[in-house]
């Protein structure tokens, strides 16, 4: 829930930004609008605005819901749906200077926060016994797509919110958000690609229907963007599920209460409609008894006549009842439909903006003194202060702290081990075997063969020296009755 | 999936623009996102419409609106006592729903006498422009306001019932008290999501009326009628299990008594001044009435058109110049004339050069105000001009306000009155929707024949928010129909002491419309004594209507207001 004060502050910032963008001249509360804008906003060119409801004087107080604000909002919404942004201001010149001049792997202290953070991040990559040397470094901008959605949960009330999803085209997954307040507009040279000429209008539809329509209408070069958009929508839908569940549960509770009330009411009415018929049946029963108990022919005839009359009236009443019951049923269905329409829930999603956000990335190429290690490229995301595309080459999980193994693979701590015998750095893929007893990795030069297993099969089973001493010797003694192989 | 998630095809438009690389600047990109954020709807946590409206809701009104939105989910009976602002509450509820996009189509059903007032209040206070519905085609629009009688005509009802309405508002909903009437069935058959019923007196005679209203609103809320009778009725007029009944009603009904809301209304002082006719004035008035009566009676009884006679009679009471303008127009007109040519000539001659005593008295009143601001109301443009000329002669700064001015000119006139002029001379269009509470004196130069209009005039300055006592001066000429009218309003209805809003309910109890009865008395009476006798008889009818209203008001207070019942029991 937003407080009134916060909302008013939002209004103030928006109005001032809008007037600034439209070229209005502001002098305190007094504002001079360009003629075209004044016409669009349906106000005089000279304006006096305030944002404090209690302010005295002639100034027009702009608050949430004010028609002038509504017109400004309407004008703003018509523009600005797409943008191309370059997050260049996030880069501190001193930081850049240090990146290109200094050694990011050195342990020397630095006063620059960004550079210190870079060093800390790089230090988390351990290169075993080899010291890396930066042979190349470059700055590039990686394009990500920022989709802005307006989501409305609609029932007998509407709740709306904005959701932004920043998609990475390489991983096709949502990346963590970046602060774009310091970004600048950047319009790249156009390659002549265009969107479809069609105008898209109509009722909201499921994502699949929308996307199949888009695939038909959009040119082939749009495929990657559409695919990314679809992924973003899927992520959005996943993120919405919890909120939707809560919203629907609330609405369903209200609907259930109302439906119960309606059904009880109409059931009661139907019962009451039966009352005249019930009374008639009671009269008929009494009359029938009278016929049976009649002592004379005359009284029997009289009662039979009466019973006959009552039967006729009962038939009429039954017809009336049927008609009334039908009416009640129709009315109840109408009321139910009214309620169902009132409490019908749905979520509507509209893409309000799409921006190409160019995020700065530093690329370092490293070489090592040990010729066994291949050159390594590390990519550092400056805005998010993390290494990107940095996955364990053994298990392919994101790599927070990495180490080089003997064969030159960058692996995570989980995949990294030392040879149980000689202590060489190994990963799962470059180890030749693992100890049959304790599971530790063994390099190609180390390890012994399990004697007992060797006796039973032709294939050799490795064990580490330690296990060989502790377990295999015992095994030989106990099972084979020999002290030494 | 929990519920259906739909995607707006407009999204592809954005993607298309993005692919075409028609990028906007970052400034506009951020503005768009900020604008979208500002226009979001977030449930009913606060009243979003109020910031933009020039109205200040009282605490009881704010509470009522929030209760209807949050707890009653848009189906409510607004039953505040008269004068506590039900109309504005309904307007704000409507605006809140519209701002959130939950209501697009709305049908407002009001009594014909309140149609223009509702239209005006919605347009100027709540800023919702709802066109008036009269023909079947007009009921196909998204928003319509109409009188219940117009709406229920078969041709209109067919259109109304054939579609779905997001919201239906019914003012003076006690007219839906009987389940067997066309009114009730008509409203019941409308397919609607939200329904607001407005009445200060949900119970007029017996408790079944309350049951019918609530059932219309929320079927089953009070169960079936037999169950309701068994549980809540001792007899037709006396309720039982009051606390349980009130509990059930509180789920669908908002009601506050005047005692519960401590609204301070400033004192209202009324001075009625009568001035005798001067010789030439008397001759003009008597001749005019004589000719009008003769012409009126000459018409066949079943084809009598009262309106032109009424107009001339009203103008004669206002200013000879006003009547003179109409007489001139009649002379110029072709075809059958209301009065014979000779009568027109005679009356025109008599109207020339008369200096009405009423005008002199009015200027004396203005002089006595010692520079205090005052609004002089008249119904006619010619009278307005005569008043302006008289002010000029007397050196009183005056500004004119009438329906012929455009929006800016009206605003400028009000500003001039606020800043510099002492007097605002206004026709009926006067100051509607403008804040005139800086003025405390109102002079009725002529009395409107419809008392509702008189109430609206007073309501311009004597309303919630006025801090100082208000002076209402009525100027009439002795012996004219206007003087009788003032007598009826003042003595028989007690209009000037009534709360705004009560008058309409009282007048609804009359057999024929007030305006029409007065005109018929004036034109159909053979002589002065007969007229006086008929006025007295009508006065008795008015008194009876007041008593009926008072009885109903007490009955409602007894049923709904815990406080009032306690007080009565204590008494």
């Amino acid at each position: 829930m937003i407080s009134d004060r916060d909302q008013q502050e939002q209004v103030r910032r928006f109005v001032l930004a809008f007037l600034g963008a439209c070229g209005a001249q502001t002098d305190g509360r007094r504002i001079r609008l360009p003629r075209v804008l004044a016409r669009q906003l349906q106000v005089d060119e000279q304006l006096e605005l305030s944002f404090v409801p209690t302010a005295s004087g002639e100034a027009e107080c702009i608050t949430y819901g004010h028609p002038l604000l509504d017109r400004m909002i309407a004008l703003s919404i018509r523009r600005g749906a797409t943008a191309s942004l370059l997050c260049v201001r996030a880069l501190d010149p001193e930081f850049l200077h240090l990146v290109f001049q200094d050694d990011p792997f050195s342990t020397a202290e630095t006063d620059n926060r960004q550079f210190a953070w870079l060093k800390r991040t790089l230090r988390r990559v351990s290169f075993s016994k080899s010291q890396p040397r930066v042979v190349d470094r470059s700055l590039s901008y990686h394009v990500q797509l920022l989709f802005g959605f307006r989501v409305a949960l609609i029932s007998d009330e509407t709740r709306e919110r904005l959701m932004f999803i920043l998609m990475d085209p390489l991983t096709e997954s949502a990346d963590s958000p970046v602060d774009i307040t310091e970004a600048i507009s950047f319009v790249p040279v156009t390659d002549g690609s265009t969107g479809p000429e069609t105008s898209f209008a109509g009722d909201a539809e499921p994502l699949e229907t929308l996307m199949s329509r888009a695939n038909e209408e959009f040119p082939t070069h749009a495929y990657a963007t559409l695919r990314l958009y679809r992924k973003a929508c899927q992520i959005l839908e996943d993120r919405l599920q919890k909120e939707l569940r809560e919203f629907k549960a609330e609405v369903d509770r209200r609907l259930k209460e109302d439906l119960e009330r309606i059904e009880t009411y109409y059931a009661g009415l139907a019962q009451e409609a039966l009352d005249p018929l019930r009374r008639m049946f009671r009269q008929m029963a009494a009359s029938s008894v009278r016929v049976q108990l009649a002592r004379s022919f005359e009284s029997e005839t009289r009662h039979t006549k009466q019973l006959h009359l009552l039967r006729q009236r009962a038939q009429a009443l039954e017809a009336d009842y049927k008609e009334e019951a039908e009416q009640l049923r129709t009315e109840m269905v109408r009321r139910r439909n009214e309620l169902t329409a009132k409490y019908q829930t749905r979520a509507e999603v509209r893409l309000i903006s799409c921006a190409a956000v160019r995020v700065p990335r530093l690329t370092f190429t490293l070489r090592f003194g040990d010729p066994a290690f291949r050159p390594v490229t590390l990519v550092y995301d400056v805005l998010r202060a993390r290494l990107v595309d940095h996955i364990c080459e053994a298990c392919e999980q994101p790599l927070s702290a990495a180490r080089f193994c003997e064969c030159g693979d960058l692996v995570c701590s989980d995949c990294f081990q030392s040879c149980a015998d000689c202590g060489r750095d190994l990963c799962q893929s470059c180890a030749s075997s693992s100890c049959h007893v304790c599971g530790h990795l063994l390099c190609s030069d180390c390890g012994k063969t399990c004697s007992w297993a060797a006796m039973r099969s032709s294939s050799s089973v490795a064990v580490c020296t330690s296990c060989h001493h502790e377990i295999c010797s015992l095994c030989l003694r106990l099972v084979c009755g020999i002290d030494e192989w | 999936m929990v519920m259906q998630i739909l995607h707006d095809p407009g999204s592809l438009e954005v993607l298309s623009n993005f692919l075409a690389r028609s990028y906007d600047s970052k400034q506009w990109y951020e503005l768009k996102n900020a604008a979208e954020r500002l226009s979001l709807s977030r449930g009913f946590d606060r009243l979003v419409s109020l910031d933009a409206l020039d109205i200040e809701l009282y605490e009881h009104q704010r509470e009522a609106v929030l209760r209807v939105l949050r707890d009653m989910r848009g189906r409510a009976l607004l039953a505040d006592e008269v004068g506590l602002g039900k109309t504005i509450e309904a307007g704000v509820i409507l605006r809140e729903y519209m701002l959130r996009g939950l209501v697009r189509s709305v049908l407002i059903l009001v009594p014909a006498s309140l149609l223009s007032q509702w239209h005006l209040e919605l347009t100027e206070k709540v800023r919702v422009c709802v066109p008036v519905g009269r023909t079947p085609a007009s009921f196909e629009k998204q928003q319509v306001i109409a009188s219940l009688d117009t709406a229920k005509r078969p041709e209109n009802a067919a259109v109304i019932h054939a579609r779905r309405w997001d919201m239906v508002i019914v003012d003076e909903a006690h007219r839906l008290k009987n389940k067997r009437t066309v009114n009730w069935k008509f409203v019941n058959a409308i397919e609607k999501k939200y329904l607001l019923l407005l009445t200060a007196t949900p119970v007029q005679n017996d408790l079944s009326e309350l049951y019918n209203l609530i059932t219309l609103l929320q079927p089953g809320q009070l169960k079936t009628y037999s169950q309701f009778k068994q549980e809540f009725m001792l007899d037709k007029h006396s309720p039982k299990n009051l606390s349980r009944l009130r509990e059930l009603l509180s789920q669908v009904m908002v009601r506050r008594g005047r005692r519960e809301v401590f609204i301070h209304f400033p004192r209202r002082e009324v001075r009625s001044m009568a001035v005798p006719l001067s010789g030439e004035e008397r001759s003009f008035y008597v001749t005019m009435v004589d000719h009008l009566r003769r012409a009126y009676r000459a018409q066949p009884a079943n084809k009598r058109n009262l309106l032109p006679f009424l107009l001339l009679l009203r103008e004669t009471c206002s200013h000879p110049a006003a009547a003179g303008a109409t007489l001139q127009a009649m002379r110029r007109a072709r075809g059958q004339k209301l009065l014979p040519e000779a009568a027109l000539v005679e009356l025109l001659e008599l109207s020339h050069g008369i200096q009405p005593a009423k005008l002199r008295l009015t200027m004396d009143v203005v002089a006595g105000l010692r520079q205090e601001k005052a609004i002089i109301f008249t119904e006619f443009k010619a009278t307005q001009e005569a008043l302006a000329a008289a002010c000029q002669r007397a050196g009183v700064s005056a500004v004119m306000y009438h329906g012929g001015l455009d929006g800016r000119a009206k605003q400028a006139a009000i500003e001039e009155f606020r800043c510099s002029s002492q007097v605002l001379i206004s026709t009926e269009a006067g100051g509607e929707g403008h804040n005139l509470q800086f003025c405390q004196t109102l002079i009725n130069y002529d009395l409107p024949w419809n008392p509702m209009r008189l109430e609206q005039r007073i309501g311009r300055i004597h309303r919630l928010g006025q801090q100082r006592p208000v002076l209402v001066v009525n100027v009439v000429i002795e012996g004219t129909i206007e003087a009788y009218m003032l007598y009826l309003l003042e003595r028989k209805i007690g209009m000037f002491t009534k709360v705004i809003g009560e008058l309409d309910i009282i007048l609804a109890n009359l057999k024929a419309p007030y305006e029409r009865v007065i005109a018929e008395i004036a034109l159909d009476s053979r002589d002065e004594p007969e007229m006086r006798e008929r006025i007295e008889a009508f006065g008795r009818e008015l008194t009876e209507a007041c008593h009926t209203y008072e009885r109903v008001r007490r009955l409602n207070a007894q049923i709904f207001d815990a406080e009032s019942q306690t007080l009565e029991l204590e008494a």
Side-chain angles (χ1 to χ4, degrees), chain A residues 127-133 135 366-376 404-409 424-425:
Chain A
F127 297 103
S128 309
K129 292 131 201 163
S130 210
Q131 184 61 30
R133 185 165 47 90
V135 290
L366 312 177
R367 275 188 186 282
F368 301 87
D370 188 340
F373 291 167
R374 59 179 166 82
V376 170
F404 255 127
C405 78
E406 195 78 359
C407 64
D409 288 348
R424 280 163 68 184
D425 297 335

Side-chain angles (χ1 to χ4, degrees), chain A residues 53-65:
Chain A
T54 50
S56 56
E58 297 299 306
E60 182 92 6
C61 180
I62 304 293
T63 51
Y64 186 78

Side-chain angles (χ1 to χ4, degrees), chain B residues 5-24:
Chain B
I5 302 177
L6 300 172
H7 292 256
D8 192 314
S11 306
L12 298 182
E13 205 90 49
V14 178
L15 284 177
S16 168
N17 287 337
F18 181 77
L19 286 164
R21 299 199 172 193
S22 58
Y23 299 132
D24 261 304

Side-chain angles (χ1 to χ4, degrees), chain B residues 133-303:
Chain B
R134 289 196 176 90
T135 57
S138 62
F139 287 99
E140 278 164 9
K141 289 180 186 158
Q142 281 288 64
Q143 292 148 15
V144 190
I145 181 168
S147 75
L148 184 55
D149 297 325
T150 309
K152 75 184 181 197
R153 275 186 214 145
E155 68 273 20
N156 293 334
V159 181
I160 291 168
H161 289 154
R163 59 178 286 198
R164 243 182 215 178
W165 297 88
D166 291 330
M167 179 174 260
V168 174
I169 301 175
V170 186
D171 192 16
E172 303 300 351
H174 46 260
R175 291 176 312 154
L176 309 175
K177 62 188 178 185
N178 191 342
K179 211 172 175 177
R180 291 188 180 85
T181 57
V182 180
N183 282 354
W184 194 93
K185 286 177 185 162
F186 167 72
V187 176
N188 187 46
I190 301 174
E191 204 167 325
K192 60 227 168 252
K193 262 205 299 189
Y194 307 107
L195 173 63
L196 296 180
L197 301 179
L198 280 64
T199 176
T201 51
V203 179
Q204 298 269 305
N205 289 304
D206 65 81
L207 286 162
S208 66
E209 296 163 356
L210 176 68
Y211 174 83
N212 290 338
L213 279 181
I214 300 293
T215 302
L216 185 66
L217 196 68
Q218 200 89 287
Q221 179 69 17
L222 300 177
K223 300 184 190 162
T224 64
Y225 184 58
S226 319
Q227 289 165 326
F228 173 73
K229 258 197 326 196
Q230 209 172 4
E231 203 172 338
F232 298 114
M233 279 167 71
L234 275 176
D235 59 48
K236 265 169 54 171
H237 309 287
S238 322
K240 65 178 180 184
N241 287 336
L242 253 184
S243 53
R244 173 73 187 138
L245 177 62
R246 280 185 193 145
E247 191 190 319
L248 285 175
L249 289 176
S250 71
Q251 292 166 10
V252 286
M253 185 173 97
V254 178
R255 180 175 170 94
R256 299 292 173 93
R258 280 202 288 271
R259 283 205 199 104
E260 290 168 71
V261 291
F262 301 98
I263 294 177
H264 168 71
F265 267 104
R267 201 161 48 82
R268 187 199 291 176
E269 188 190 338
V270 181
R271 277 185 221 156
S272 295
M273 297 177 168
V275 61
L277 287 165
S278 63
E280 47 194 359
E281 260 185 296
R282 176 176 297 280
S283 136
F284 175 64
Y285 178 79
V286 171
T287 317
M288 174 68 91
V289 171
D290 195 37
H291 281 305
L292 288 178
R293 276 180 182 163
R294 234 178 291 158
Y296 182 72
R297 279 203 220 104
Q299 286 185 346
N302 57 348
K303 285 185 181 172

Side-chain angles (χ1 to χ4, degrees), chain A residues 129-247:
Chain A
K129 292 131 201 163
S130 210
Q131 184 61 30
R133 185 165 47 90
V134 181
V135 290
D136 192 21
R137 55 197 108 193
S138 62
L139 169 69
S140 61
Y141 283 93
H142 174 63
V143 183
Q144 295 189 318
L145 295 193
L146 179 59
F147 294 105
F149 295 98
R150 186 176 176 133
V151 182
L153 308 186
I154 304 166
S155 173
D156 59 329
E157 65 173 29
T158 302
R159 282 186 216 158
E160 287 182 310
R161 59 181 293 207
L162 297 187
M163 287 175 83
F164 290 88
I165 293 178
L166 185 59
M167 293 296 291
D168 192 294
L170 293 180
T171 59
E172 288 196 341
S173 61
D175 208 339
S176 53
V178 290
D179 181 11
I180 56 162
T181 47
E182 291 293 304
I184 58 163
S185 294
F186 170 76
V187 182
V189 181
T190 177
D191 58 1
S193 55
T194 53
E197 300 288 312
T198 337
S199 128
F200 299 94
D203 293 334
E205 50 202 353
L207 182 61
E208 288 314 311
T209 321
L210 184 82
M211 292 318 295
S212 59
R213 186 170 154 195
N215 286 331
E216 281 170 19
E217 302 278 351
F218 279 71
T220 43
H221 71 81
Y223 175 72
T225 310
L226 288 179
R227 189 177 156 78
L228 214 54
Y229 172 68
R230 180 207 286 264
K231 285 266 177 195
C233 287
Q234 284 165 349
I235 292 168
L236 177 93
E237 291 189 2
D238 288 344
R239 286 185 188 175
L240 272 175
Q241 287 308 311
K242 189 175 171 244
E243 205 173 326
L244 293 182
R245 258 196 303 277
E246 285 169 2
F247 183 74

